[in-house]
Amino acid sequence: MDLITIAFYFFSALTIVFGAVVVFTKNIMHAAFSLLFAFFGIAGLYVLLSADFLAITQIMIYIGGILVLIIFGVMLTTRITGVDVKTGKIGKIQIGIAGLLTVLIAATLIMIFSTSKWYLADSKPLDSTVNEIGTALLTNYLLAFEAASMLLLIAIVGAAFIARKKH
Amino acid sequence: MMDISDLIKSISLFKPETTLIVTFMLAMILDMAFKKSKNIAGYIAIAGLVIAGIFLFQQTGVNYKAFANLLVIDSFGQFMKFIVLMSSLIIIVFSFFSNELHNAHTKLGEYYTLIIGMTFGMFLLVGSANLIMIYVAIETMSISSYVLAGYTREVKRASEASLKYVIFGAVSSGIMIYGISILFGLTGSLNLFEINQFLSVNNVATLPLLLSGLMILSGFGYKISAVPFHFWTPDVYEGAPVTITAYLSVASKAAGFAVLLRFFKTGLLDSVPGTSEAWQLLGNIDWHYVIAVLAVLTMTLGNLVAVWQTNMKRLLAYSSIAHAGYLLMAVSVMNDNGVSAVLIYFVFYMLMNLGAFFVVQLIANKLDSENIDEYNGLGYRSPVLAVCMTVFLISLAGLPPTSGFIGKLYVFSSVINSGYIWLAIIGVLNSVVSLYYYAKIIRNMYLRDVESAKTKLVFSPVTIAIVLMLAIPSLLFGVYFTPIVEWANYSMNIFVGN
């Protein structure tokens, strides 16, 4: 195994293990901190795919911004650490059906990923992608880029409305 | 790569959407500037929608792939955008008369602003020819509708509705974007035209294609509330303000159906044998049957569950699920006749469904209840309203001489012409079931509590005029439907661009 393969397995394991912790833990603080490592693992995977810009964005926005916000959100709400995420009971039948579905979907996905012929792009020499992404965003994807800004504006208006006190 | 002449032409064809964005901003700013006026944002929204409508009308006959193939401007999109535009306009007018909104808030600036934002999202969705655009557009309309569904947030069930909507919406977007990623992995492109070209040249394994298609369908299915992606519908429809419920049941379904049809025709149509009689789809998957099964499930569940409902909003929610089923039936035949049937149906569905919801809203304004028993004796307490409601309900049930009958006629004939007799039979049986619960309301209005001692309900002449403006066309189009059919036939060609 070369170094890149080892790094790949390391980051994958990091993402999956901490992703599982996020889902299964009952303590909301643990979940928030595990999310940090899961995001970091994904950033590592982006680096291995030589998607440098994406990796940095992942770290800056998800870890630096969103996650810190989540942790603050959890800490600022009243009862800090002792809050159980899960409440109520789930019946055995529901667990059974959910489990069955999960196994079925997972099996299908694994089969598809291992057997399908995937589209392979021509490999390019390693280079910074920032320039290309910037050009694409302002030419071929101009509309998507601008529409996303409109989406954010709508989201801010909505969030401000929800957060505002009644008047 | 997009060159500058394409950009200039694209921007000039983007005028309706640009108008909506400007309206959005103006509504927000002027609402803050004029603190006294309660509905100022609403008037601006109406003006903006009218101007957008004029720009939209100017695009008649244009077929163009704008913004480097991100957006398609064609007559099919124009038709659907008109449906969205009309229903936005009607909903804003409804909102002026909504007690529940005006009681909950002293000002409704954000409400009208978000309706414009949602209209913008739906306009984008109708024209999108790129999976990224589709995703961004769906999110734009979803986020506006989440907030709108919980707009009367002091009312508990509205908050619950909004939260459920967000959670289901997030899950279905997640599934959809996963499906998009698989499709991207198979074809190496997000652009529907390029995906189409890739699939027509290369052989792609069936199973991954089917799976990604189903996952993407779940995103669209959520918007049109097709079974099994419908779970949010009854609760959200019941909890949201009536105006928003009506809006979700018409406009967001129209946008969902538009993107569904465009996805299949642009992305998967095999252009080599290409006739309009039956679309040959790429890949070895029989999408006819996938959609037909969805259609059967959707209309059967919608109709059967609607029978037990006692809350009018819930009843109309299930009825709207059933109508999505009829429309899916027309989609499942996968030819241009089916598209035309969907378009025709939508015009009539918009009139009758919005009308029925407006009557529910007016009754709720007076009686503060949406229970079906409150409609007892309505035929004597408010004769005009009851007659109009009867027209809407008969039209929804699809009986002549109303426009709903013509809509159903075209849907069923498109299904039968393509040889799916069994599907048409299930559809007709479903219509019979639906007749039961629609008739139940009519029975309550006329045959229950006949010698009512309750006071007469008096509605302002303006509201009665609005109801009549929806009821009369519902009847009129039942006998004189040629213009709508001609318009739909003119618009049924989805531009695939060669």
Side-chain angles (χ1 to χ4, degrees):
Chain A
M1 269 202 285
D2 57 359
L3 200 62
I4 289 194
T5 319
I6 295 171
F8 170 76
Y9 281 114
F10 171 71
F11 284 122
S12 307
L14 197 71
T15 313
I16 293 173
V17 169
F18 281 100
V21 175
V22 175
V23 176
F24 291 112
T25 182
K26 284 196 170 176
N27 185 318
I28 197 163
M29 271 319 256
H30 292 174
F33 279 110
S34 311
L35 202 58
L36 187 133
F37 291 100
F39 281 157
F40 182 73
I42 291 171
L45 290 176
Y46 284 146
V47 171
L48 292 179
L49 292 168
S50 58
D52 53 349
F53 180 69
L54 214 53
I56 290 174
T57 325
Q58 170 81 15
I59 290 180
M60 273 173 42
I61 295 179
Y62 281 92
I63 299 181
I66 292 175
L67 200 74
V68 170
L69 214 61
I70 290 178
I71 292 174
F72 263 111
V74 172
M75 281 171 29
L76 289 177
T77 44
T78 44
R79 281 167 294 145
I80 306 170
T81 43
V83 186
D84 274 355
V85 189
K86 293 173 197 157
T87 50
K89 276 182 187 162
I90 310 166
K92 272 182 185 156
I93 303 170
Q94 279 99 321
I95 290 182
I97 294 172
L100 196 73
L101 271 178
T102 312
V103 171
L104 211 70
I105 293 172
T108 321
L109 284 177
I110 289 169
M111 198 180 86
I112 284 175
F113 284 130
S114 51
T115 57
S116 297
K117 188 172 126 254
W118 297 98
Y119 174 86
L120 289 176
D122 307 322
S123 62
K124 284 181 197 162
L126 277 181
D127 195 14
S128 161
T129 57
V130 184
N131 205 344
E132 272 180 57
I133 290 178
T135 314
L137 279 183
L138 288 179
T139 55
N140 284 344
Y141 289 94
L142 177 70
L143 183 64
F145 183 61
E146 294 299 339
S149 65
M150 194 61 199
L151 166 66
L152 290 178
L153 180 61
I154 291 172
I156 290 172
V157 171
F161 168 73
I162 290 173
R164 197 175 55 192
K165 283 207 178 80
K166 194 188 174 186
H167 58 177
Chain B
M1 182 73 84
M2 179 163 66
D3 57 22
I4 196 79
S5 62
D6 176 42
L7 181 64
I8 290 168
K9 182 154 190 211
S10 303
I11 289 177
S12 75
L13 288 173
F14 201 59
K15 270 186 244 157
E17 287 84 352
T18 318
T19 313
L20 289 177
I21 296 176
V22 173
T23 314
F24 182 91
M25 315 254 177
L26 273 183
M28 213 158 49
I29 294 166
L30 290 181
D31 182 61
M32 285 186 270
F34 296 93
K35 287 209 158 49
K36 292 273 163 57
S37 171
K38 194 164 182 171
N39 280 325
I40 176 95
Y43 303 133
I44 293 165
I46 286 182
L49 286 173
V50 170
I51 296 170
I54 295 168
F55 283 135
L56 193 59
F57 183 73
Q58 287 175 349
Q59 292 179 355
T60 312
V62 176
N63 280 323
Y64 190 66
K65 291 192 270 188
F67 294 105
N69 298 348
L70 285 186
L71 200 72
V72 175
I73 288 138
D74 59 0
S75 46
F76 169 76
Q78 192 198 24
F79 192 105
M80 279 306 198
K81 283 176 190 171
F82 266 120
I83 301 271
V84 170
L85 195 88
M86 278 303 295
S87 39
S88 306
L89 207 60
I90 296 172
I91 290 301
I92 290 174
V93 175
F94 284 3
S95 308
F96 293 152
F97 304 101
S98 167
N99 280 3
E100 56 177 335
L101 286 172
H102 291 271
N103 290 343
H105 296 278
T106 48
K107 274 182 81 67
L108 290 172
E110 288 88 356
Y111 174 84
Y112 297 116
T113 313
L114 285 170
I115 285 189
I116 294 294
M118 196 169 155
T119 314
F120 170 73
M122 290 186 280
F123 266 50
L124 281 186
L125 187 60
V126 167
S128 299
N130 185 299
L131 294 170
I132 287 199
M133 272 314 293
I134 290 178
Y135 177 69
V136 171
I138 284 194
E139 286 303 306
T140 308
M141 68 186 271
S142 299
I143 286 181
S144 335
S145 53
Y146 299 151
V147 181
L148 287 172
Y151 203 83
T152 52
R153 73 201 136 97
E154 279 73 27
V155 183
K156 191 170 163 250
R157 62 175 190 174
S159 313
E160 187 191 324
S162 183
L163 190 64
K164 273 188 181 154
Y165 202 16
V166 172
I167 292 171
F168 277 109
V171 171
S172 76
S173 312
I175 294 175
M176 184 180 81
I177 210 161
Y178 199 106
I180 289 176
S181 76
I182 294 178
L183 193 59
F184 177 73
L186 289 170
T187 61
S189 175
L190 287 166
N191 189 304
L192 290 180
F193 299 107
E194 282 168 25
I195 289 174
N196 184 293
Q197 266 176 7
F198 184 90
L199 290 177
S200 60
V201 178
N202 299 281
N203 245 334
V204 172
T206 308
L207 188 63
L209 192 62
L210 177 70
L211 191 76
S212 70
L214 285 179
M215 282 174 151
I216 295 174
L217 269 188
S218 84
F220 302 158
Y222 164 78
K223 276 289 148 216
I224 60 181
S225 57
V227 175
F229 317 109
H230 70 286
F231 290 105
W232 59 277
T233 315
D235 290 334
V236 172
Y237 278 27
E238 190 187 344
V242 191
T243 46
I244 296 307
T245 308
Y247 195 43
L248 291 178
S249 74
V250 177
S252 77
K253 267 187 213 233
F257 271 101
V259 73
L260 179 71
L261 285 165
R262 196 185 289 286
F263 175 75
F264 275 113
K265 182 146 185 195
T266 313
L268 298 174
L269 180 74
D270 190 351
S271 52
V272 181
T275 57
S276 66
E277 290 307 309
W279 306 345
Q280 294 290 322
L281 294 187
L282 294 163
N284 300 318
I285 304 160
D286 202 341
W287 286 108
H288 302 275
Y289 278 98
V290 175
I291 306 281
V293 167
L294 276 184
V296 169
L297 285 176
T298 306
M299 58 191 172
T300 312
L301 184 130
N303 278 322
L304 289 183
V305 183
V307 168
W308 311 110
Q309 301 307 316
T310 53
N311 178 301
M312 278 299 284
K313 273 158 95 184
R314 265 189 111 80
L315 188 143
L316 287 173
Y318 280 107
S319 124
S320 91
I321 294 178
H323 283 276
Y326 303 135
L327 285 158
L328 275 175
M329 211 160 68
V331 175
S332 79
V333 302
M334 301 258 171
N335 61 28
D336 286 359
N337 276 333
V339 177
S340 155
V342 170
L343 297 180
I344 295 168
Y345 201 92
F346 252 112
V347 176
F348 302 146
Y349 175 69
M350 176 180 82
L351 292 171
M352 58 201 185
N353 212 37
L354 291 183
F357 272 114
F358 191 50
V359 174
V360 172
Q361 178 191 333
L362 290 177
I363 304 287
N365 275 354
K366 294 280 178 199
L367 303 177
D368 206 22
S369 163
E370 289 133 9
N371 195 300
I372 196 167
D373 291 331
E374 295 291 334
Y375 287 71
N376 288 359
L378 191 71
Y380 307 92
R381 299 177 75 186
S382 175
V384 183
L385 212 59
V387 168
C388 291
M389 187 64 167
T390 312
V391 170
F392 296 135
L393 292 173
I394 290 178
S395 191
L396 282 168
L399 293 181
T402 55
S403 56
F405 170 69
I406 304 299
K408 280 228 173 76
L409 188 71
Y410 274 92
V411 166
F412 286 127
S413 67
S414 78
V415 173
I416 290 170
N417 283 341
S418 312
Y420 295 103
I421 308 286
W422 59 274
L423 191 58
I425 291 173
I426 295 176
V428 172
L429 287 178
N430 263 293
S431 298
V432 176
V433 175
S434 77
L435 188 59
Y436 171 77
Y437 58 83
Y438 292 130
K440 196 165 75 176
I441 304 166
I442 301 175
R443 178 202 66 188
N444 275 8
M445 289 195 298
Y446 286 103
L447 301 177
R448 291 287 154 87
D449 198 14
V450 177
E451 302 293 319
S452 180
K454 289 184 211 154
T455 50
K456 285 216 186 303
L457 298 173
V458 182
F459 297 96
S460 75
V462 186
T463 53
I464 294 289
I466 295 170
V467 177
L468 284 174
M469 271 160 65
L470 291 165
I472 292 172
S474 292
L475 269 179
L476 196 67
F477 285 136
V479 283
Y480 182 63
F481 48 86
T482 338
I484 302 291
V485 172
E486 273 172 6
W487 184 28
N489 283 337
Y490 171 77
S491 308
M492 70 187 177
N493 276 315
I494 298 171
F495 183 52
V496 287
N498 295 311

